[in-house]
Every structure is written in structure tokens, then in C-alpha cells.
Amino acid sequence: MLNFLTSGFLTLIGLALALGGAWLISLGGSWYYALAGLAFLVAAFLSFKRKPALLPFYAVFLVASLAWAVWETGFDWWQLGPRGGLTVLIGLWLITPVFRKTLTSGQPVPDVKPTRSFLLEGSVVLAVIVAVYSMMNNPNEVTGVLPGDPVVSSPSYGGTVPDGDWHQYGRTPYGQRYSPLDQINIENVTSLEQAWVYQTGDMKRVDDVPETTYQVTPLKVGETLYLCTPHSWAIAIDANTGQEKWKFDPGIPQNPDRQHQTCRGVTYYKDPGVSENGPCTARVFLPTSDARLIALDADTGEVCPSFGDDGTVHLETGMPYNPAGYYYSTSPPVAADGKLIIGGAVNDNYSTKSQSGVIRAYDINTGELIWNWDSGNPEQTEPIPEGQTYTANSPNSWSVSSADEVLGMIYVPLGNKVPDQLGMNRDENVETYSSSIVALSLETGQVQWVRQTVHHDLWDMDVPAQPALLDITNQDGQTVPALVGPTKQGDIYVLDRRTGEAIIPVNEVPAPGGAIPEDFTAPTQPVSDLTFMPDPLTEKDMWGITLFDQMACRIAFHQLKYEGRYTPPSLQGSLIYPGNFGTFNWGSVAVDPERQVMFGMPTYLAFTSQLIPRDEVPPRGTEKASEMGINRNIGAPYAVNMGPFVSPLGIPCQAPPWGYVAGADLRTGKIAYKHKNGTVEDMTPLPLPFEVGVPGIGGPIITKGGVAFLGAAVDNYFRAYDVSTGNQLWETRLPAGGQSTPMTYQTKDGTQYVLIVAGGHGSIGTTPGDYVIAYKLSE
């Protein structure tokens, strides 16, 4: 009976590998799987016939498989495991006495001496030795140390924010995500403990769109924290205790066409010319997911009627099209130069009749429109007259901008024109401003300079992150006002923020061609010398938990069009790597203006992009808005089907690590370290805390104490790292996904807190929640 069951199992394995392997060979792929399938079929026959030759035969096959696996991957455990796990387990079964007894027929089993095969036993031992050795290796890591000494003793943080406060999304208008607090440091961070928890009450609803997510970074002003929730509630809570002070619900209607249901933050402002306190002398500005900007009294949460139209600026004003749910603001406006400056998000790849990507500056006290910059009509920045509309479907800014009031500029990260994957019919303005960082005059909105990060973008490579501003001391000892701009494709642009000129060199390199006949690709693409772009994928990089899903990924890899980074979308389907999830996304990076270094979380996930001719697009069903799956591109000749490149088991087809923490010297452009980050504990049915290096979305902060804090990863953990080495110092389990950027502050009693919002992320499926959690050092 054991022979029959073993033979049947081996036969099933052999048939699956032989048939799939033959398919893979026909696509130009590895011969191993087909040969392995034949070997399993031979082993099944020998087992069925009870031939002792099965054992040495399988030993040879096992050693050959081990040699092939090491040849393909080296001593990388996470790559060797799927290649050898099944074959070694079967080898272990074959050397058990209970099975070996069955290989001699004609005698009663109790009288049979088990057949021995020292060759098979030795091959299994060899495989275990290789596995143990590979577990001790970290072949994908970069190990080093960032410079520890401050380059300057009194850096500019931007603005006049007290050290213990956090007044804007990135703490100051510079967006550094750096705190000068050092009570919590690398020596004592391990003693952090939970101080308090607040729950907002705004939970994900059954009728919400897939990307309903907590991405907010709270502000801290005085002794109060201000934040928003996915459904655009504004909340004030006590910074010492977490007790709620007030809550404002703007009553956002549900809308299945809204692609994103999120709020990254609110904006605080107090008129410096008003010394007394009174109604609305301090304000909180709330962007909503139904395209409103609401002014609230910071003390009470009441609407400020003197702002805009009875407390509200309607962002749909001036738009050429206005279908509900297609335009809104997910990010807080910038308060600078007496103005409130805001962009907006449009639904990606819904329709060519898309709203404008206009950037608008309003009087921060009255809500009066002061200037508007529309990349489709870039010269006309004075407010458009009544009856005129902004340019439809011009590149938009859905992320957060930074500002330098001394230089008089705001730095805007721009996206692309809809559709992202089709470049025909783009005019000169789109080709100039799409996927770029644009510096605008704070006074007039006029363009000061533009730096494009992707030419003729066909990959949804929006500039996703708030630029970080700091002053860099160059090798000659000169101080250069700098801008650090992370991109989805992995490049970090370090620019002179006065002119947009590169401080760290940027070079044009050849890029793949082969767009559809109606379109074209740029012959070259810019690449910064400071880059976290991944190496091109090969068939050997395909991964899976078993040989079977790994083989399926190899087959899929060869069926896709892929010529490296910037492979254009195609009718057959293209592999886009990095994918539009981005190496960096809205979480940006954190910079230390004293040491002039950065800390970030590069993520690596391949996506697929397949164009669908208009007459082949299926009719719309009841699906909700999402950037995954079929994006209809109404009005364009093609729709696009896009999503992560995953195996039949829903696991990334490319081998891990998929996520790192990394540090780089911004003066030299050198990457000091790159360590895999996060576990698969919340990615698998079983809570396995294997440190693989997982994807994440969110951002880090740095403190003067030498500690970086980061949640973001798809496991529900909040972690602290040594900025100098990237080594993890502390972690704590979160009750929900921490896909947000943390912050830190100090209260009047001198206590430093670290705070993170944990509410989960709909697109990546982390645990939903509504938690605001503060930590402090144990007493």
C-alpha cells in the first residue's frame, strides 16, 4: 500500500512538472522542470515495482537538483528552499525504514531487512548542510555605516516650529520628517512602552472602495494633536492623554467611483499678526474626499464662516468635468507665505475626460483665490475669470508639496495625464511637466524650474513623494540649498532647489523601445547616481513556495514582454519593474539636516500591464473603483489590465526580499546600507515570523537621538532603527496595519512621545482598524 501511495504521489508530481516543464522549454525557459518531471516518473515506476535501485537513483537526482539550485541562486536560503524543499522531503520519506522495507518483495514485511542507501542518506545530509549554511547568509544585503558626526551644528529645519511640535505633514514646510528631540535615543529606545491609545471610531465600511486606508500623520501644536480619518473626519486629541477634544464629521457621501478613500493629514495655521485668542484665530484646514477644503476652529472644531463660502472652498470650481468621485484631495495643503496651496487627485485611468491637475493658492485667511497654475496652460497664473475652465486632464499633484519661504518657492511633485499607459495625443506641456518636480513662485505661481524624472511616462511613474528640503555642505565647504526627491522608479534626485540643477549627477541612459504602433517611447531616461533601482529580472529570479508555482511564474515571465526598466505596455502584457506601487511612494524618505543623510524604505514589486483594445473591453459590472484589474480609460483606444505580478497562490513571482530599510549619504550619493525589513507573519495563513523583507507603504522619521521610526511594512509591526547602521533596535506589535508615517513630539512636562496611526491599507490587505497609539520611555 505504501508503494502504491508513494508511486501515485510521485506520478502526479512527475506529470505536473513534465507537462509544465515542456511548456516552459517551448517558451525558451529552463529545462530543469521537465527533466525533474521525468525523474519523478522514473522514481514512481521504481517505487511501484519495489526496486531498491530507487534509492541511489533518487540520490543522484537530489544531488543534481541541489547543484542546479546553487548554480542558479547561490547560497540564498529563500531561493533554495522552494527549489529543494519538495525533493528533500521526498528524499527523507524514501530513507525511512518503513518505506525501505517495502523495496524487497516476496517476504513477510516483519522478516525483511530494510534496504540501505548510504548514497541517498548522504545526499539528504548534504542538502541539509547547504540549507543551514544558506540560512546564515544574507546575499542581498549591503552592510555599512553612515557618517556619525554632524556636518553642521545649527541646521535649518524650515519655518519656526518649536522643537517639541510637529506643525506640518513633514513637521515643517521643508518636509524633512526630522525631529530635533533626543530624549529617546539609540541607548534607551528598547524601553519604549505604550503610553495611551485612542480609537477614532471611523472604521472601514462594507460598501467602501478597496483603497480605504489610514495614511494620516497627525500634527502636534501646543498640547493638542490634530488628525483626519479615511472618511475625512477631523479630530483633536490631548497630546498627553489621548483624550478626545473635538471631532468634526463633514458628512462625506459614499461613492463607489472614488478610487481612494483616505486622508493623509490636515493643515494648521495661526495668524502671526493676531496676538489674542478668539474664534478661528487658529485654524485647522481639512481636505475632503468629496473635493472640499474646510476651515475649522482649532480650539473647538467649529466651521470658520469667514473662510471661503461659509467655511468651505469648493475645489471642483473651474473644472471642465465634474462627475462625483473623480476628483478630490487626499493630501494636506501647504501653508506658506500667507497662502494655502493645494493640488488634487484624479481617478487614474477612468476617463480621458478627467479634471484638471491645477495647483491653486488661496488666501489663508479669506479663502480667496490668489493664483492658479495649470500645467496645461502654464503661463496664465492669475485667477481664471468666471466662465473659464482649467485644462482638462493635465498632470496633477496628489501628493504633498514642500515650501521654502526664504527662496519664495513651492516644490510640487507632479503625476501624469490619464491614461497613464498611453502617450499618444499628449501635447508639449504634458511632455514637459508630466512626472516631474516643479518649482513655482509662492507669490505668483509662475514656474521657476522643472526637473522631469521620466520622459513620456507610460508606467504611472508619478513623482509620488513630498520633496525633502535641507542645506547640503559640498566637498568644497559651500552650503547649497538642496532638494531630495524620491521616485517610484527608485532614483533619488538631489537637486539645487534654487535652480533644479543636479547636485548628485543625473545621466540619460538608453531605454527600451517597442511601444504599440500608435505610440512611442523616449530613447533615453534619466537616472540619478543615487539610485535604489533594482537589477533587471531574469527567469532565475522567479519564485514560489513550491516547484509548481515557481514553474508557473517562470512560464508567465516568458509570456510577458520584458526588456528591463521602462519596458512599454503591450497587447501581450508587459512586466513593469519596479511596478507602479513604486520603490518609493507617498511615504517619501526622512533626512537628517545635521548629518546630511537619508533613511528610507525601498520596496520592490513587479507589476504587469496589458493593453486591451476598446472593442474587447468587457462591460462594467458591479466592481468598485480600484487601480488593480481592468482600468477602462473611457475615451481612449485601449483599456489596461494591471496588477502585481503574483503566482497562482497570490505570492509575488519575484524572489524576496521585497522590502528593505536603507541609508545613504546625501553629500556623496553613496548607499551605506540596505537591510531586509519585515516578516511574512501577516502575509500567510500561519503566523510565521520569518524575516523575508516585505513590501510596505508609508514613511519613516528620524530623530536627533539617532533613531529612525517606521511602520509601513505589511506585517503589523512598528519598529525603531539605528540611523547609522540600519540595525533594528525595537519593535512592537500593532493591532492593525501601520501604513502611515509616524511622528514624535514633546509635551510641556518634558516627555517625548512617538506616535503612529494604525488603521490598515485596503489595497494591500492589512488589518483594518482606527487606532492612534503613543509610546514613551518606561518610568
Side-chain angles (χ1 to χ4, degrees), residues 429-444:
N429 287 326
V430 175
E431 298 289 13
T432 298
Y433 295 109
S434 174
S435 305
S436 67
I437 302 170
V438 177
L440 304 177
S441 165
L442 279 171
E443 181 180 1
T444 66

Side-chain angles (χ1 to χ4, degrees), residues 125-346:
V125 170
L126 177 62
V128 171
I129 291 172
V130 170
V132 171
Y133 175 73
S134 67
M135 287 178 185
M136 297 185 293
N137 282 338
N138 287 307
N140 301 294
E141 301 224 339
V142 176
T143 302
V145 180
L146 286 171
D149 295 330
V151 179
V152 293
S153 58
S154 299
S156 174
Y157 303 132
T160 56
V161 179
D163 287 355
D165 280 10
W166 195 284
H167 281 197
Q168 295 204 26
Y169 182 74
R171 201 182 87 84
T172 76
Y174 276 16
Q176 295 171 346
R177 293 162 177 74
Y178 175 83
S179 171
L181 299 178
D182 61 2
Q183 183 182 109
I184 299 169
N185 54 58
I186 59 174
E187 303 296 332
N188 61 22
V189 68
T190 54
S191 64
L192 278 182
E193 62 181 18
Q194 185 175 293
W196 53 258
V197 179
Y198 169 79
Q199 290 186 257
T200 68
D202 186 4
M203 290 289 294
K204 186 174 182 179
R205 307 165 187 170
V206 293
D207 54 349
D208 273 333
V209 295
E211 188 149 327
T212 298
T213 170
Y214 269 89
Q215 298 178 3
V216 61
T217 299
L219 309 182
K220 189 266 184 180
V221 183
E223 299 299 297
T224 304
L225 296 163
Y226 300 98
L227 66 146
C228 57
T229 70
H231 296 95
S232 305
W233 300 357
I235 301 174
I237 56 181
D238 187 284
N240 295 273
T241 65
Q243 293 296 309
E244 182 181 303
K245 291 187 172 183
W246 55 257
K247 180 185 292 183
F248 173 79
D249 179 359
I252 304 298
Q254 293 291 96
N255 191 325
D257 285 334
R258 190 178 295 130
Q259 215 163 45
H260 302 270
Q261 189 71 61
T262 192
C263 180
R264 297 190 183 93
V266 296
T267 301
Y268 175 87
Y269 174 76
K270 184 173 183 180
D271 189 340
V274 178
S275 57
E276 72 277 4
N277 291 323
C280 293
T281 55
R283 298 179 178 184
V284 169
F285 294 96
L286 172 69
T288 70
S289 56
D290 62 350
R292 288 181 282 164
L293 180 59
I294 303 173
L296 304 172
D297 187 312
D299 294 327
T300 66
E302 297 293 324
V303 173
C304 298
S306 61
F307 179 80
D309 177 15
D310 201 23
T312 298
V313 165
H314 298 277
L315 298 177
E316 72 275 12
T317 302
M319 292 297 174
Y321 308 105
N322 190 33
Y326 279 47
Y327 179 84
Y328 38 87
S329 181
T330 56
S331 297
V334 172
D337 192 39
K339 302 175 182 70
L340 205 60
I341 306 169
I342 190 168
V346 301

Side-chain angles (χ1 to χ4, degrees), residues 536-658:
L537 292 172
T538 67
E539 185 194 322
K540 295 177 183 179
D541 296 313
M542 296 301 101
W543 196 69
I545 293 178
T546 68
L547 280 173
F548 307 109
D549 54 318
Q550 184 182 88
M551 179 176 65
C553 284
R554 288 180 181 241
I555 290 170
F557 176 80
H558 283 288
Q559 289 176 317
L560 293 166
K561 178 183 177 71
Y562 181 63
E563 298 175 16
R565 192 166 76 152
Y566 300 122
T567 299
S570 62
L571 291 169
Q572 77 180 75
S574 295
L575 188 60
I576 310 301
Y577 185 58
N580 70 339
F581 193 79
T583 306
F584 298 98
N585 209 293
W586 53 263
S588 194
V589 298
V591 301
D592 182 334
E594 293 189 23
R595 295 165 60 180
Q596 299 179 10
V597 299
M598 61 149 276
F599 179 90
M601 182 192 63
T603 291
Y604 299 99
L605 279 179
F607 271 58
T608 60
S609 180
Q610 182 178 20
L611 300 178
I612 307 172
R614 178 56 52 198
D615 59 1
E616 298 177 17
V617 179
R620 182 174 179 179
T622 59
E623 71 269 18
K624 297 176 183 177
S626 176
E627 292 182 89
M628 308 295 182
I630 293 179
N631 286 217
R632 297 184 171 276
N633 293 338
I634 296 169
Y638 298 92
V640 61
N641 191 7
M642 55 190 295
F645 182 40
V646 295
S647 76
L649 300 179
I651 295 169
C653 268
Q654 73 205 72
W658 305 301

